[in-house]
């Protein structure tokens, strides 16, 4: 199977379930709601001014009437006006007070609420930030202060934002990230930043999370701070006694006397080791995403060339051959420049956007397509018959690769927004039911979003309008396990890609089979 990927665009936001178009719409929705809120406030102020006017006028009248009630009512006009006020005008005032100017605002909120993100979206966005934090080794302070590489818009996280991030991690039993974000909330709180959450709540979550990370001395120190703030706290006293008893037991087992004092060093990235997970090559994969450990030696670079590619004198490429650059020598990975025009990119996005849905993977046990945390993106599939642009792109793929697309999969359009990723995976089936060749195209991304190959240490960066191509099957039909690859999380911006996986069936005379495992 071979893989081609086109870069199609820049700047798209994406949380767990929302795409840029939807997120952009929400920006304007929020602006409209703010305007509606201002109109509501103006109406409330107008209503209050009218009530105040009534109150001032009646205050003057009652002051005069109560000085000499009988003398006041001796005047027939005053008697009439008193009857009129109590019968009519006080009823009008009552109606004014009962008016609810919020109706318009509430109605507007109700209309738009159906498009609001839900709890899962918010949780997904928080997890995306933590994923970026891990992959690119960014501390919580950097995020909270908006200090991200390639970032043009300033954005900060408040004490309450950091607390909510920590609470999201805590609720997932992710104590590693809970510690980082609760500590950041506490740091900003100690710097006297404004906050709604109480320091006791932050210390409660932080002390228990630190305990879960195995740091008993620090858990004790934090719990003592909590008790000092709130001596009647429901859990603090019990936790403190439990932590102290547990630490004493550990020290006795080690034949040590006295309680080990908590370090004065503040908790930061690297204080605790991130727990291992299901991905064996996690460290290699993330290092490549950061541009570390790329095995591009001087000797290897000397074997890479650029050339004009006419597809073995293909008539459609003779007058305007493709510019081809070697990205890697073995396995051979090439990039084609100007593979898609800006107009084609926009048309493809226009066709794909209405159909984009959360990308799925096939469950290895049930065989059912399902979503997975290791693949966070949205995708759509486009047929050649839908638009001349798709047909033209499919034909260009045939011309460039020399392979038929008659047995290929449909053109897949995928969007990896901020935090979007696809962890290391194979594009071919490891059970010999069907194998494929794949073709990928990539887009500009401001930071992050590389395609990396942990096995041989390559990192291929997205460039708008270019196409990257490699075979992931040997000529023998066996899978090339070196081509296990991953889409790194997008740190800033967005990565739009169009993928074309070309199956080996139908290529018998275009790429003849061989008996050995060679490129």
């Amino acid at each position: 199977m071979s893989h081609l990927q086109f870069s199609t665009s820049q700047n798209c936001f994406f949380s767990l379930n929302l795409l840029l178009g939807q997120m952009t719409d929400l920006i304007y929705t929020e602006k409209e709601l703010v305007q509606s809120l201002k109109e509501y406030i103006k109406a409330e102020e107008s209503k209050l001014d009218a009530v105040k006017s009534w109150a001032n006028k009646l205050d003057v009248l009652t002051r005069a009437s109560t000085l000499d009630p009988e003398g006041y009512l001796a005047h027939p006009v005053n008697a009439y006006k008193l009857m009129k006020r109590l019968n009519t005008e006080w009823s009008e005032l009552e109606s004014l007070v009962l008016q609810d100017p919020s109706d318009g605002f509430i109605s507007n909120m109700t209309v738009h609420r159906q498009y609001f993100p839900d709890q899962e979206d918010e949780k997904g966005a928080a997890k995306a930030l933590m994923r970026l934090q891990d992959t690119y080794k960014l501390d919580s302070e950097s995020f909270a202060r908006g200090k991200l590489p390639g970032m043009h818009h300033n954005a900060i996280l408040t004490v309450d934002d950091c607390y909510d991030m920590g609470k999201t991690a805590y609720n997932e039993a992710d104590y590693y990230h809970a510690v980082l974000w609760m500590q950041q909330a506490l740091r900003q709180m100690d710097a006297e930043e404004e906050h709604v959450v109480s320091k006791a709540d932050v210390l409660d979550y932080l002390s228990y999370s630190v305990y879960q990370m195995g740091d008993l001395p620090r858990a004790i120190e934090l719990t003592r701070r909590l008790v000092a703030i709130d001596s009647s706290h429901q859990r603090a006293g019990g936790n403190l006694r439990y932590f102290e008893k547990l630490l004493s037991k550990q020290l006795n087992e080690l034949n040590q006397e006295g309680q080990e004092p908590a370090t004065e060093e503040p908790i930061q990235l690297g204080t605790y080791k991130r727990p291992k997970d299901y991905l064996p090559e996690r460290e290699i994969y993330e290092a490549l995403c950061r541009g570390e450990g790329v095995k591009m030696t001087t000797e290897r670079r000397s074997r890479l060339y650029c050339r004009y590619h006419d597809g073995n004198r293909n008539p459609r490429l003779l007058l305007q051959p493709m510019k081809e650059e070697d990205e890697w020598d073995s396995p051979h990975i090439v990039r084609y420049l100007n593979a898609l025009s800006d107009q084609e990119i926009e048309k493809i996005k226009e066709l794909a956007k209405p159909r984009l849905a959360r990308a799925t993977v096939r469950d290895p046990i049930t065989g059912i397509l399902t979503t997975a945390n290791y693949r966070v993106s949205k995708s759509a599939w486009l047929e050649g018959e839908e638009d001349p642009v798709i047909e033209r792109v499919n034909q260009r793929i045939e011309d460039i690769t020399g392979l038929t697309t008659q047995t290929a999969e449909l053109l897949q359009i995928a969007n990896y927004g901020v935090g979007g990723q696809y962890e290391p995976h194979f594009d071919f089936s490891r059970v010999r039911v069907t194998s494929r060749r794949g073709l990928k195209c990539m887009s500009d991304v401001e930071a992050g979003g590389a395609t990396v190959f942990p096995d041989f240490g390559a990192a291929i960066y997205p460039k708008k309008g270019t196409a990257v191509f490699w075979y992931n099957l040997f000529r023998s039909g066996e899978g090339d396990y070196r081509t296990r690859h991953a889409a790194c999380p997008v740190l800033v911006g967005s990565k739009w890609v169009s993928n074309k996986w070309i199956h080996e069936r139908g290529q018998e005379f275009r790429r003849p089979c061989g008996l050995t495992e060679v490129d």
Side-chain angles (χ1 to χ4, degrees):
M1 160 181 176
S2 53
H3 197 126
L4 185 69
Q5 182 179 51
F6 293 97
S7 296
T8 55
S9 118
Q10 307 129 290
N11 300 333
C12 164
F13 269 73
F14 169 80
S15 76
L16 187 62
N17 293 318
L18 294 177
L19 178 70
L20 171 64
Q22 296 165 303
M23 297 287 281
T24 303
D25 290 343
L26 290 178
I27 291 289
Y28 291 107
T29 294
E30 189 171 41
K31 182 179 180 180
E32 183 180 333
L33 289 175
V34 168
Q35 183 59 38
S36 179
L37 182 60
K38 286 181 177 179
E39 290 171 0
Y40 159 65
I41 293 170
K42 187 176 179 180
E44 284 281 17
E45 289 174 341
S46 176
K47 169 186 168 181
L48 192 57
D49 287 343
V51 173
K52 283 180 179 178
S53 176
W54 273 93
N56 291 334
K57 182 176 69 173
L58 291 169
D59 184 48
V60 172
L61 282 170
T62 54
R63 281 170 187 258
S65 64
T66 53
L67 287 174
D68 180 11
E70 290 185 4
Y72 179 83
L73 290 173
H75 197 301
V77 172
N78 286 340
Y80 162 72
K81 292 188 71 171
L82 176 62
M83 297 300 103
K84 180 175 181 257
R85 281 198 307 274
L86 292 174
N87 180 56
T88 305
E89 295 179 5
W90 274 98
S91 295
E92 291 174 359
L93 179 58
E94 182 183 25
S95 298
L96 175 62
V97 171
L98 290 174
Q99 283 180 9
D100 189 356
S102 67
D103 287 348
F105 173 69
I106 297 300
S107 176
N108 209 358
M109 279 283 293
T110 302
V111 169
H112 290 295
R113 190 180 296 279
Q114 59 184 314
Y115 304 111
F116 281 12
D118 58 20
Q119 186 64 34
E120 283 301 306
D121 290 314
E122 182 181 344
K123 185 168 74 174
K127 286 184 175 180
L129 289 188
M130 295 174 205
R131 189 181 308 127
L132 295 173
Q133 184 177 24
D134 294 339
T135 303
Y136 298 105
K137 288 191 173 179
L138 300 168
D139 57 29
S140 303
E141 177 80 9
S142 296
F143 268 109
R145 303 305 177 197
K147 298 174 183 175
L148 300 181
M151 203 65 237
H152 304 305
H153 296 277
N154 190 31
I156 62 171
L157 293 172
T158 64
V159 171
D160 297 286
D161 291 332
C162 294
Y163 170 78
D164 288 337
M165 287 284 293
K167 195 171 178 182
T168 296
Y170 183 93
N171 290 337
E172 296 280 311
D174 177 4
Y175 301 110
Y176 171 78
H177 288 107
V179 167
L180 293 177
W181 287 102
M182 288 299 175
Q183 173 65 34
Q184 182 60 29
L186 185 62
R187 183 183 291 118
Q188 293 178 215
M189 194 176 281
D190 287 342
E192 299 185 351
E193 292 187 19
E194 291 184 6
H195 54 87
V196 175
V197 63
S198 70
K199 183 174 283 191
D201 282 342
V202 173
L203 286 168
D204 187 21
Y205 280 103
L206 180 57
S207 59
Y208 188 77
S209 297
V210 165
Y211 156 69
Q212 287 289 346
M213 293 304 295
D215 190 348
L216 272 172
R218 198 189 297 263
I220 290 169
E221 183 264 330
L222 289 166
T223 309
R224 284 175 177 166
R225 283 184 66 181
L226 173 55
V227 171
I229 292 173
D230 184 1
S231 58
S232 62
H233 193 279
Q234 186 177 1
R235 290 178 299 277
N239 282 352
L240 182 58
R241 289 188 293 274
Y242 174 73
F243 294 159
E244 289 175 337
K245 182 179 178 181
L246 196 58
L247 181 60
S248 177
K249 180 181 177 183
Q250 289 182 2
L251 292 174
N252 287 335
E253 290 174 354
L254 296 171
N255 294 319
Q256 294 183 12
E257 292 185 6
Q259 181 170 304
E260 185 179 324
T263 176
E264 295 296 323
E265 290 285 328
I267 300 170
Q268 55 192 357
L269 197 67
T271 298
Y272 303 119
K273 189 164 184 174
R274 181 159 47 121
K276 296 282 186 183
D277 64 7
Y278 55 86
L279 192 63
E281 67 260 68
R282 170 76 63 192
E283 291 183 9
I284 298 173
Y285 152 57
E286 291 182 349
L288 287 170
C289 289
R290 296 190 297 271
E292 302 168 6
V294 178
K295 299 176 182 177
M296 178 54 73
T297 62
T298 303
E299 181 183 356
R300 170 168 278 132
R301 195 181 300 279
S302 69
R303 296 196 293 268
L304 305 182
Y305 299 92
C306 59
R307 63 192 72 81
Y308 283 105
H309 174 72
D310 65 7
N312 291 323
R313 300 191 61 77
N314 185 296
R316 282 177 289 273
L317 297 178
L318 278 177
L319 295 179
Q320 191 173 3
M322 297 295 297
K323 297 175 182 177
E324 182 183 80
E325 295 178 350
D326 291 331
E327 287 280 352
W328 208 261
D329 55 348
S330 180
H332 194 205
I333 303 175
V334 297
R335 185 192 297 272
Y336 297 100
L337 307 184
N338 304 319
L340 282 179
S341 68
D342 287 349
Q343 292 78 12
E344 288 172 329
I345 287 170
E346 292 308 312
K347 186 61 181 180
I348 290 170
K349 286 170 60 180
E350 178 189 325
L351 293 169
K353 280 181 179 179
R355 307 185 210 175
L356 286 166
R358 176 74 188 272
T360 57
V361 296
R362 194 170 296 281
D363 188 299
I365 299 174
T366 65
I368 298 172
L369 289 174
T370 183
T371 59
N373 288 333
Y374 60 82
R375 186 179 192 182
V376 183
S377 65
K378 286 201 168 189
S379 62
W381 300 84
L382 302 179
E383 298 189 44
E385 295 78 12
E386 295 182 46
D387 192 275
V389 167
I390 308 303
E391 188 62 47
R392 190 161 66 243
V393 169
N394 285 337
Q395 182 61 59
R396 191 173 303 146
I397 290 170
E398 284 202 8
D399 296 342
I400 293 173
T401 64
L403 303 171
T404 179
T405 58
Q406 294 301 309
T407 56
E409 297 183 13
L410 301 179
L411 190 67
Q412 185 207 50
I413 313 303
N415 174 241
Y416 297 85
V418 173
Q421 65 161 4
Y422 194 175
E423 290 178 354
H425 61 283
F426 296 102
D427 277 343
F428 57 85
S429 172
R430 285 177 288 170
V431 178
R432 288 301 306 279
V433 177
T434 174
S435 302
R436 303 170 291 173
R437 304 183 183 95
L439 189 60
K440 292 190 175 181
C441 304
M442 308 161 83
S443 72
D444 287 340
V445 174
E446 294 173 67
T451 296
V452 298
F453 296 79
D455 183 84
F456 52 91
I460 311 297
Y461 291 92
K463 295 179 184 176
K464 186 178 182 181
T466 68
V468 175
F469 174 80
W470 69 86
Y471 287 103
N472 46 44
L473 293 182
F474 291 109
R475 286 185 179 272
S476 65
E478 293 298 323
D480 186 346
Y481 285 82
R482 299 173 300 172
T483 60
R484 181 173 167 86
H485 60 285
C488 295
V490 175
L491 180 57
V492 179
S494 166
K495 182 170 77 170
W496 284 84
V497 294
S498 54
N499 296 309
K500 192 73 171 181
W501 288 279
I502 307 170
H503 291 256
E504 77 280 13
R505 184 169 56 85
Q507 316 300 339
E508 293 83 357
F509 298 103
R510 297 187 180 226
R511 190 187 187 228
C513 295
L515 298 178
T516 58
E517 293 186 356
V518 294
D519 291 356

